Amino acid sequence: MRLAAVRGRDRSLCLFYGLFGLAGTLVMGALAVAFVRENMDAGPYGVIRNFVHDALTNLASRFVYADLVLIWAALSAFMIVESRRLGIRHVWAYIVGAPALALCASFSVFMYVRQLKIAAARSDPAGLRDDSLFDGPIGRKSHHPDGMPLPRAGRRRA
């Protein structure tokens, strides 16, 4: 499903995730370029060594770095579960993208793709890999976890 076909709350969320991912890419990319330019004389391995050294220099930077690593691990598990549930391909790219560029960029792009899949499932529930989006522990739910009512069985939206 393309963004042009998405309407309502799904479209708003897609736009938010897309713009946040773009902003995250631009900000973190600019910071990465500035760091590389500042440490260019150390060579490629020296840039990485200097980055890790700067990230672990004091207790405050270690705190922030450890927090990012832990949230990355938790979000990786979430992305794997959601990608299997919704049929999102190449989840490894979003997970590897976090330390390669930035967590705010890769996770936002994942959430964008996830929301497109959810919107597609609302318009055609048969398009999902399984019905776990709609089934709860006691059968069919009346609302999606995001709060949107689900289509009734046997009725198709136009």
Side-chain angles (χ1 to χ4, degrees), residues 63-87:
F63 175 84
V64 172
Y65 201 66
D67 189 47
L68 282 174
V69 168
L70 292 172
I71 196 69
W72 174 58
L75 290 176
S76 295
F78 171 77
M79 288 190 283
I80 290 169
V81 169
E82 286 295 286
S83 67
R84 288 182 180 168
R85 184 172 72 100
L86 296 171

Side-chain angles (χ1 to χ4, degrees), residues 11-123:
R11 184 176 181 85
S12 298
L13 284 171
C14 284
L15 289 172
F16 171 75
Y17 294 139
L19 291 173
F20 195 83
L22 179 64
T25 300
L26 293 175
V27 169
M28 300 309 287
L31 291 171
V33 167
F35 186 85
V36 169
R37 290 186 74 202
E38 187 177 296
N39 292 277
M40 184 180 294
D41 57 332
Y45 295 112
V47 169
I48 294 169
R49 185 182 62 246
N50 290 349
F51 180 82
V52 172
H53 178 267
D54 289 353
L56 302 174
T57 297
N58 59 46
L59 194 54
S61 62
R62 279 181 266 175
F63 175 84
V64 172
Y65 201 66
D67 189 47
L68 282 174
V69 168
L70 292 172
I71 196 69
W72 174 58
L75 290 176
S76 295
F78 171 77
M79 288 190 283
I80 290 169
V81 169
E82 286 295 286
S83 67
R84 288 182 180 168
R85 184 172 72 100
L86 296 171
I88 299 171
R89 296 172 35 147
H90 308 297
V91 70
W92 62 268
Y94 304 108
I95 295 169
V96 172
L101 179 58
L103 181 59
C104 67
S106 66
F107 186 67
S108 295
V109 172
F110 174 81
M111 291 299 288
Y112 174 84
V113 172
R114 176 182 175 267
Q115 200 63 41
L116 286 177
K117 288 286 193 174
I118 289 171
R122 283 193 182 118
S123 65

